[in-house]
Amino acid sequence: MIAHVIGFLGMLCVVLCYYNVTHSKWKHDDFVYNGINLLGAILLIISLCFHFNLGSFVIEIFWIAISISALWRKYKGIK
């Protein structure tokens, strides 16, 4: 049950980010957007450790890598 809750929270993070970017409330390179996206992907990876799905696992790895890259670029001031 806890794995489902963790996965649900991860999904909420990702959907929240997508909604706020598509409705111009956040920018795609904001720390908050990429940080919450990263948190969502990590939570989804945790839930996948209990209910594994290869396709979902792979996309979350990419999601994490992209979020970390965006956060790093923002931190360094790279456009």
Side-chain angles (χ1 to χ4, degrees):
M1 178 67 174
I2 192 79
H4 289 295
V5 172
I6 291 170
F8 188 79
L9 291 173
M11 177 275 305
L12 283 177
C13 289
V14 172
V15 170
L16 174 73
C17 288
Y18 185 67
Y19 176 85
N20 283 312
V21 166
T22 59
H23 287 80
S24 301
K25 295 175 187 248
W26 294 346
K27 294 181 182 176
H28 72 281
D29 62 347
D30 285 345
F31 273 117
V32 67
Y33 169 74
N34 287 298
I36 294 174
N37 246 339
L38 176 60
L39 174 63
I42 290 169
L43 291 172
L44 285 165
I45 284 280
I46 292 169
S47 74
L48 286 169
C49 290
F50 296 92
H51 306 286
F52 190 75
N53 176 298
L54 182 58
S56 295
F57 185 82
V58 170
I59 199 167
E60 295 311 322
I61 294 297
F62 278 106
W63 211 260
I64 288 169
I66 292 166
S67 295
I68 289 172
S69 171
L71 287 167
W72 182 254
R73 291 175 61 82
K74 183 74 173 181
Y75 174 75
K76 288 295 194 177
I78 300 169
K79 294 275 180 186

